[in-house]
Amino acid sequence: MYQTPSPTHGYVPVVVAFWLYLAAAGVSALGSMALGVSDSGALLVFLVAAVLLLKLFLPVFRRLTPRASHEE
């Protein structure tokens, strides 16, 4: 029979970049909590950091996402 590619084939770099994105937003929230910001304030810092970091990470996600052979 024909070999079928795995549905997650080629997505490992995107997953790693996504985890780095979440870690950077999480570190900013934890850092704000260490500086004495309340829990709700840290959540707000996390959300703002996630939005700001998305502008940096979106081109990385697009570049790392594998393309199907018919899309190239």
Side-chain angles (χ1 to χ4, degrees), residues 4-28:
T4 328
S6 172
T8 59
H9 179 71
Y11 285 96
V12 172
V14 179
V15 172
V16 170
F18 179 72
W19 280 108
L20 289 174
Y21 164 72
L22 284 181
V27 163
S28 65

Side-chain angles (χ1 to χ4, degrees), residues 24-33 35 37-53:
V27 163
S28 65
L30 289 174
S32 68
M33 287 178 72
L35 293 175
V37 176
S38 66
D39 288 346
S40 59
L43 178 62
L44 183 63
V45 168
F46 175 80
L47 294 175
V48 169
V51 169
L52 293 176
L53 286 171

Side-chain angles (χ1 to χ4, degrees), residues 9-11 13-14 58-68 71:
H9 179 71
Y11 285 96
V14 179
L58 196 58
V60 174
F61 294 149
R62 286 184 180 152
R63 188 177 63 228
L64 292 177
T65 302
R67 305 255 185 243
E71 291 179 355

